[in-house]
């Protein structure tokens, strides 16, 4: 390792090239603000409260950032990142889509498939955390693919991720309208689509802070509701329900025997994976949000560790109770449309069958909050990725526009415009069009997660090749490279399982060409984006010696890191495990 690299690793003040301003650095918290000490910092300091928070016309003017890459607003706090990690992606896939998964696969498939996806997600997010602490850049996972795998594949992943969220937004708006229909079936769904679209616009006026606060409070509501549901579900399983309800006697696990734990055999088992992937989509947003937090070095590792609790307590335990209380052949689950029919949500049905007055409406309010939250996340994730693409020259330059309040204005605008596709559902042929739109984003998240795992594997290989050691990595993935290999292996298995279902659907026989592409359209779309990237950039797979592991590395408070590691090593084994894995 060169003396320059040793200096970069061994101190809190890495070397800088001549003529390039060092990043502004806060010695109190070890954070690198990411803003060069130029006119931008002074410009921000001189702006008034209304401009900084996007509340006047001046805030829409272009930020003067000098030369280099535009920095987004770093206004997220530790509490924001923690709640985005633990509750951010809980939405329609979990509360509503789980009903369709229960019907096609049975409670056994539901539990096992979500458990497999949970193991994959656990390793993927830890790999993302390791990369994001060292390189917390806007549009994180796309840039990691570009930097550590293949620039053409990075191009494909960036557009794939942006397109995924652009399609998810109208879907979530439609579910919002249908959820209101649970109470008011007379008002057109289009009216409610308009109302919730305007709400999402209002949240985005406040930029990063608006997203962070909305996610914090909606996550609190979702987590509290899920805990309440599990407590009530436990009482119902034990037979403590009202005497006039379906759960007034001990339930136990009899539904795993009658009608059974598995439905539709191996096909049913494979079909649940796509619902699990949809339910876990957005978990990776915590890595994207790291680029806009005040101090990712301190806040991101703790947020990453919260993923364990979300996977274990909420997804696995919550769906286990659902399987104990709802028959997979329940007539209300039959006729469910993909992720849209709130009347078929098993969480709502439990309240109805138990005779708990008002509980079904309570769960529908929670579903409404959850779905609206995912809609806001869609705008955030899609716009930040589009801005990163523009900054790297992979999208029109206009999308790199950042205004004085730190909003990527044109990127937010184009993603919000995609939300208007929700009105397509009002047309007689709307559901057919919408099925194709959903097919475009159905498996998109799996390619993103697989790329994160592969980028981590390639980073570790290049890191070692350039003479670095694992001890120089401030936050290490708990499973190391082996965890990323496991995540990549499980993602490959899920893609193979879904390919099988695309050919041999749950209903039996073989699928039509149309049915195949509705199940597997994401793959040709990704390959199309990759081909476009390759034809444009003419760059392919990067060899390990060509991977740059130094440029853009975050300035780190190594004295504090070494002190914490020494403190951790001196702890008893149980306490060391607790601090390493859980907090």
């Amino acid at each position: 390792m060169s003396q320059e690299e040793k200096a970069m690793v061994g101190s809190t003040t890495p070397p800088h090239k001549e003529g390039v301003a060092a990043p502004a650095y806060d010695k109190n918290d070890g954070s690198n603000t990411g803003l060069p000490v130029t006119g931008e910092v002074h410009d921000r300091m001189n702006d008034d409260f209304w401009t900084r928070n996007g509340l006047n016309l001046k805030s829409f003017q272009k930020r003067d950032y000098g030369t280099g890459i535009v920095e987004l607003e770093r206004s997220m706090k530790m509490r924001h990142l923690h709640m985005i990690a633990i509750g951010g992606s809980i939405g329609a896939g979990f509360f509503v889509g789980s009903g369709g998964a229960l019907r096609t696969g049975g409670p056994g498939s539901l539990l096992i498939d979500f458990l497999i996806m949970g193991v994959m997600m656990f390793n993927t997010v830890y790999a993302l955390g390791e990369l994001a602490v060292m390189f917390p850049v806007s549009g994180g996972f796309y840039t990691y693919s570009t930097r550590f795998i293949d620039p053409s594949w990075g191009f494909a992943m960036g557009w794939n991720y942006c397109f995924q969220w652009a399609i998810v937004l109208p879907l979530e708006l439609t579910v919002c309208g249908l959820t209101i229909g649970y109470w008011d079936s007379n008002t057109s769904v289009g009216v409610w689509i308009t109302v919730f679209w305007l709400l999402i616009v209002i949240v985005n006026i406040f930029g990063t802070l608006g997203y962070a606060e909305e996610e914090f409070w909606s996550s609190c509501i979702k987590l509290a509701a899920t805990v309440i549901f599990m407590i009530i579900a436990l009482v119902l399983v034990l037979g403590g329900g009202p005497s006039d309800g379906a759960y007034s006697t001990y339930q136990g696990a009899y539904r795993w025997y009658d009608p059974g734990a598995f439905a539709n055999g191996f096909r049913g088992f494979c079909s649940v994976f796509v619902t699990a992937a949809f339910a876990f989509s957005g978990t990776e947003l915590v890595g994207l949000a790291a680029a806009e937090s005040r101090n990712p070095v301190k806040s991101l590792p703790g947020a990453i560790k919260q993923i364990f609790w979300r996977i274990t307590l909420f997804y696995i335990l919550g769906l286990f109770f659902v399987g104990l209380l709802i028959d997979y052949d329940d007539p209300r689950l039959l006729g469910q449309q993909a992720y849209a029919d709130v009347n078929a949500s098993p969480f709502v049905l439990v309240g109805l069958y138990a005779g708990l007055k008002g509980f079904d409406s309570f769960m529908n309010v929670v579903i409404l909050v959850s779905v609206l939250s995912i809609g806001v996340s869609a705008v955030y994730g899609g716009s930040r990725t589009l801005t990163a693409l523009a900054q790297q020259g992979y999208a029109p330059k206009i999308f790199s526009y950042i205004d004085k309040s730190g909003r990527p204005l044109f990127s937010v605008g184009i993603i919000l415009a995609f939300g208007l596709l929700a009105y397509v559902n009002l047309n007689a042929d709307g559901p057919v069009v919408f099925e194709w739109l959903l097919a475009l984003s159905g498996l998109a998240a799996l390619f993103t997660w697989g790329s994160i795992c592969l980028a981590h594997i390639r980073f570790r290989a290049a890191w070692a090749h350039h003479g670095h050691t694992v001890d120089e990595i401030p936050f290490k993935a708990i499973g190391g490279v082996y965890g990323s290999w496991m995540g990549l292996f499980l993602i490959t298995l899920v893609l193979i399982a879904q390919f099988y279902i695309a050919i041999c659907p749950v209903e039996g026989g073989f699928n039509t060409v149309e049915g195949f592409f509705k199940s597997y359209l994401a793959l040709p779309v990704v390959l199309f984006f990759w081909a476009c990237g390759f034809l444009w950039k003419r760059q392919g797979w990067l060899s390990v010696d060509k991977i740059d592991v130094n440029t853009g590395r975050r300035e780190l408070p190594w004295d504090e890191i070494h002190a914490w590691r020494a403190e951790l090593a001196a702890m008893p084994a149980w306490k060391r495990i607790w601090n390493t894995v859980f907090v």
Side-chain angles (χ1 to χ4, degrees), residues 29-33 74 76 78 81 129 132-137 286-287 289-304 475 554-556:
D29 67 3
S31 66
N32 175 346
T33 66
R74 292 183 179 271
M76 283 198 198
M78 188 178 292
L81 272 185
V133 168
M134 294 192 73
F135 309 98
V137 291
V286 66
E292 297 183 62
S293 63
R294 293 178 179 176
N295 184 9
V297 176
K298 294 183 72 174
S299 57
L300 186 58
I304 292 294
F475 174 72
R554 176 166 286 279
E555 190 171 353
L556 298 167

Side-chain angles (χ1 to χ4, degrees), residues 174-394:
T174 302
V175 178
C176 282
L178 293 172
T179 304
I180 293 293
Y182 188 81
W183 301 288
D184 178 14
S185 58
N186 296 322
T187 306
S188 170
V189 172
V191 173
W192 296 112
I193 288 174
T194 305
V195 169
F196 290 112
W197 184 80
L198 289 174
L199 281 175
I200 292 174
V201 170
I202 291 170
V203 170
N204 279 279
I205 288 175
F206 295 91
T208 300
L209 193 58
Y211 163 74
E213 287 295 341
E214 183 277 333
E215 282 299 288
F216 177 82
W217 292 108
S218 65
S219 292
C220 288
I221 293 170
K222 288 185 280 187
L223 297 180
T226 308
V227 171
I228 291 170
F229 170 81
M230 288 191 292
I231 293 171
I232 291 174
L234 177 60
V235 173
L236 297 178
V237 168
L238 297 176
S243 57
D244 58 344
Y247 309 115
S248 59
T249 58
Y250 178 74
Q251 304 297 304
Y254 92 84
R255 286 180 177 81
W256 282 57
Y257 300 96
D258 181 21
F262 299 94
N264 299 307
F266 184 65
R267 294 188 183 194
F269 176 81
C270 291
S271 69
V272 176
F273 279 120
V274 69
T275 303
F278 187 85
F280 278 110
S281 293
T283 304
E284 73 287 340
L285 278 172
V286 66
L288 199 67
E292 297 183 62
S293 63
R294 293 178 179 176
N295 184 9
V297 176
K298 294 183 72 174
S299 57
L300 186 58
I304 292 294
K305 293 171 186 177
Q306 304 305 313
I307 300 294
F308 172 85
W309 296 112
R310 186 213 293 181
I311 293 171
T312 305
L313 291 182
F314 301 110
Y315 282 96
I316 306 303
L317 200 54
L319 293 175
F320 174 67
F321 280 123
V322 163
L324 293 177
L325 293 170
I326 302 293
D327 298 327
Y328 74 71
D329 58 356
D330 188 298
R332 288 177 182 259
L333 297 179
L334 297 175
Q336 183 202 22
Q337 289 186 326
Y339 319 115
D341 187 1
V342 292
N343 294 291
S345 166
F347 294 86
V348 173
L349 294 180
V350 166
L352 281 174
Y353 294 159
L356 298 172
K357 294 181 180 178
F359 186 77
D360 55 330
S361 291
F362 166 73
M363 287 308 303
N364 260 320
V365 169
V366 174
I367 290 171
L368 187 62
V369 170
S370 303
V371 172
L372 186 63
S373 165
I374 297 296
V376 173
S377 296
V379 177
Y380 177 81
S383 63
R384 269 54 181 181
T385 303
L386 183 55
T387 299
L389 285 164
Q391 289 175 346
Q392 297 294 328
Y394 286 171

